[in-house]
Amino acid sequence: MYEVQNIITIDGPSGVGKSTVSRKVAAATGFTYLDTGAMYRGVGWYFLQQGVALEDGEAIAKKLEELELKLLPAADEESDVGVLINGENVSDAIRSPEMAMVASKVSAVPLVRDILTEIQRGYGDKGSIVAEGRDTGTVVFPRAAFKFFLDAQPEERAKRRVMQLQARGVEADFKQILMMTLERDKNDSERAVAPLKKAEDAVRIDTTEITIQQVVDEILRIIVGKKS
Ligand code: DC
């Protein structure tokens, strides 16, 4: 039987405002926020630290067996979700643009995706969630009740990333961030397994010229309208 899950999925390319929007939608609905990108970043950090080559299937399988990944809830609505890797707090380390690129590469490895997808589905089985990522509406939670796909022009997304990094006290160069944004778009949408793409039944929202609050309001309006 086809059973709809009490899940809201919010997918889209990097820098589109997914995290902020997802956190606000979670706060407004009382659902738990699941940042799937934080998991890929955590695995990327671990592989980098352990010197795992992404072509070495055996080493990847072995290291994944040794890996214990735990998500830490965000301190407040403005903060990122944290990550513990085998007990070590890597919450800050995983948020750099370099780690984002590593995560993007690691996320193309099928075994990594299988394991993280299973963990993510475990969260979905436990209760109502807002899941944010690249494939949450297409692969992880195809039976989610509400699906959204956020999009925006790459230049606008890079500009937002620069502002976000500067707010954290990190130096950021627009041209370099734009290049990294385009490279991640390419990696994430051209990989063979679970590429970034809009689910057929997802609502697309272009955020280029609207504020975060307008995106959140639009999502909540659709959810309320669909429920009643
Ligand atoms: O959302 P983010 O920037 O934290 O994600 C980091 C990388 O992880 C992203 O470039 C691709 C990968 N990712 C993925 O492949 N699937 C997801 N559901 C979430 C992230």
Side-chain angles (χ1 to χ4, degrees):
M1 198 182 77
Y2 186 90
E3 212 178 287
V4 172
Q5 280 186 297
N6 218 19
I7 290 172
I8 301 166
T9 61
I10 302 185
D11 290 310
S14 61
V16 81
K18 293 188 304 295
S19 302
T20 318
V21 167
S22 301
R23 286 198 293 253
K24 285 183 182 291
V25 170
T29 53
F31 286 17
T32 302
Y33 167 49
L34 178 66
D35 179 358
T36 63
M39 295 178 163
Y40 287 97
R41 286 171 185 255
V43 173
W45 179 89
Y46 182 62
F47 280 10
L48 196 65
Q49 192 220 30
Q50 298 282 315
V52 177
L54 295 185
E55 309 73 46
D56 188 346
E58 225 171 274
I60 287 173
K62 184 165 172 288
K63 287 296 166 192
L64 283 173
E65 253 174 49
E66 292 168 9
L67 169 71
E68 195 198 20
L69 186 150
K70 207 169 167 236
L71 288 181
L72 303 171
D76 53 54
E77 216 186 287
E78 309 299 321
S79 310
D80 284 321
V81 161
V83 176
L84 283 185
I85 296 290
N86 294 347
E88 182 172 350
N89 192 326
V90 300
S91 308
D92 289 335
I94 60 168
R95 296 294 169 186
S96 69
E98 291 74 24
M99 279 312 306
M101 195 61 84
V102 172
S104 177
K105 296 204 171 113
V106 160
S107 71
V109 177
L111 191 55
V112 172
R113 296 210 76 83
D114 287 350
I115 286 175
L116 293 189
T117 299
E118 201 180 306
I119 298 174
Q120 290 155 16
R121 287 185 180 148
Y123 280 98
D125 288 340
K126 275 193 242 144
S128 307
I129 59 171
V130 176
E132 178 224 320
R134 304 292 185 288
D135 64 337
T136 63
T138 48
V139 174
V140 189
F141 301 115
R143 295 183 286 112
F146 307 100
K147 297 182 185 178
F148 298 92
F149 189 89
L150 307 189
D151 212 349
Q153 295 298 327
E155 290 75 12
E156 177 63 25
R157 292 190 275 124
K159 198 173 94 190
R160 290 178 192 168
R161 238 336 159 229
V162 168
M163 286 189 331
Q164 202 181 38
L165 288 165
Q166 284 172 345
R168 283 197 205 126
V170 180
E171 283 277 323
D173 172 66
F174 173 78
K175 267 198 186 147
Q176 195 194 6
I177 296 290
L178 177 60
M179 258 171 52
M180 288 171 121
T181 302
L182 294 172
E183 194 180 336
R184 268 215 291 161
D185 281 1
K186 191 168 152 56
N187 286 346
D188 295 348
S189 51
E190 289 183 3
R191 67 174 174 235
V193 192
L196 164 69
K197 72 166 192 253
K198 179 187 161 303
E200 266 176 34
D201 50 350
V203 175
R204 180 190 296 273
I205 303 178
D206 191 321
T207 75
T208 308
E209 286 179 7
I210 57 176
T211 64
I212 290 283
Q213 195 53 49
Q214 283 173 313
V215 180
V216 173
D217 290 345
E218 175 69 357
I219 289 177
L220 295 176
R221 193 185 60 73
I222 291 170
I223 291 173
V224 172
K226 225 175 160 184
K227 268 189 169 161
S228 55

